[in-house]
Amino acid sequence: MGPVLRTEHLVSADQQTGEIASKIDAALTQLARARQIQRQCLATRHGLSPLQLDILMTVAAGEPPEPSISLLARELGVSQPTVTAAVITLERKGLVRREPLPPRRTLVRLEPSGQPALADRPFVDAASRLDPALQEAMLEGALVMIAHLVDNGTLSVARTCLTCRFHRSDGGHYCVLLDLPLARSDLRVDCPEHQPAA
Ligand code: SF4
């Protein structure tokens, strides 16, 4: 007589998928917590607030977005007066300078002394230790999740391939603007040519 399967031990495919999704959620929570702690330590070490550090990192990463006060505020999800106050403090510390752009915009430029605060990158170090195939799978998976979060209104700013009107998917990935197939490793997270999909 073969093994007896007890129904209470059977896990449906839906249940299993739900459990994996919950584990991914828990893992992302741990990563987010670790990033928050790391940023707080980095900010404290350099005498910065977390927002001041975020402004430095966003400006250092380059465009997009244009480093204007209004676009930085939108990118970081805070008000323009809050960003202005943080930038004035960073300017007093000699880490950035404000550059007026007529008629009414102000750009934020990184000073050379602002760079050392950005050298610590433990998450890049950890990711670079993964097998290349796993790195590609994680990149694609993260971009699919970001696209879902944009669809359901959780995220308002994303300049990724999978949220772009120029992206086509037919088994693989294709950019009609660049007229190029995109390998998973080519997928962009912050593309200057990105235009939101309808
Ligand atoms: S324009 Fe940029 S973001 Fe859009 S599909 Fe092409 S490479 Fe990706």
Side-chain angles (χ1 to χ4, degrees):
M1 186 173 145
V4 178
L5 286 177
R6 297 180 58 180
T7 51
E8 65 266 31
H9 291 158
L10 289 176
V11 179
S12 73
D14 280 356
Q15 265 178 311
Q16 206 166 25
T17 306
E19 281 173 18
I20 294 173
S22 295
K23 286 182 185 178
I24 291 173
D25 182 40
L28 289 175
T29 302
Q30 288 186 29
L31 285 174
R33 203 171 291 141
R35 183 177 282 284
Q36 198 180 354
I37 292 167
Q38 180 254 341
R39 287 211 170 175
Q40 184 66 60
C41 290
L42 194 59
T44 305
R45 200 183 315 146
H46 292 280
L48 303 170
S49 70
L51 175 62
Q52 290 164 6
L53 182 66
D54 280 344
I55 291 171
L56 276 186
M57 293 178 104
T58 307
V59 173
E63 298 186 23
E66 174 191 65
S68 64
I69 298 281
S70 58
L71 292 185
L72 287 171
R74 180 167 182 257
E75 184 82 6
L76 299 173
V78 293
S79 69
Q80 287 192 38
T82 303
V83 169
T84 302
V87 166
I88 289 171
T89 306
L90 286 170
E91 196 173 42
R92 279 201 202 109
K93 292 173 189 267
L95 303 177
V96 301
R97 68 177 186 283
R98 283 178 292 168
E99 195 175 281
L101 188 68
R104 256 184 279 150
R105 279 183 299 164
T106 302
L107 299 185
V108 181
R109 301 293 188 197
L110 194 68
E111 293 285 20
S113 50
Q115 285 290 354
L118 308 169
D120 196 6
R121 306 204 313 160
F123 287 83
V124 174
D125 293 344
S128 65
R129 292 184 191 188
L130 301 176
D131 176 83
L134 183 54
Q135 286 186 22
E136 290 182 9
M138 282 190 71
L139 172 62
E140 189 178 42
L143 294 184
V144 171
M145 283 190 70
I146 287 171
H148 287 312
L149 291 170
V150 168
D151 278 350
N152 69 21
T154 305
L155 258 183
S156 56
V157 178
R159 290 178 290 268
T160 60
C161 283
L162 302 195
T163 59
C164 178
R165 63 182 284 248
F166 300 120
H167 175 261
R168 299 288 181 276
S169 178
D170 187 12
H173 302 282
Y174 195 86
C175 174
V176 293
L177 179 73
L178 304 177
D179 196 15
L180 282 176
L182 300 168
R184 291 199 297 185
S185 56
D186 295 328
L187 291 170
R188 293 183 179 180
V189 178
D190 199 13
C191 176
E193 279 82 38
H194 176 274
Q195 289 187 23

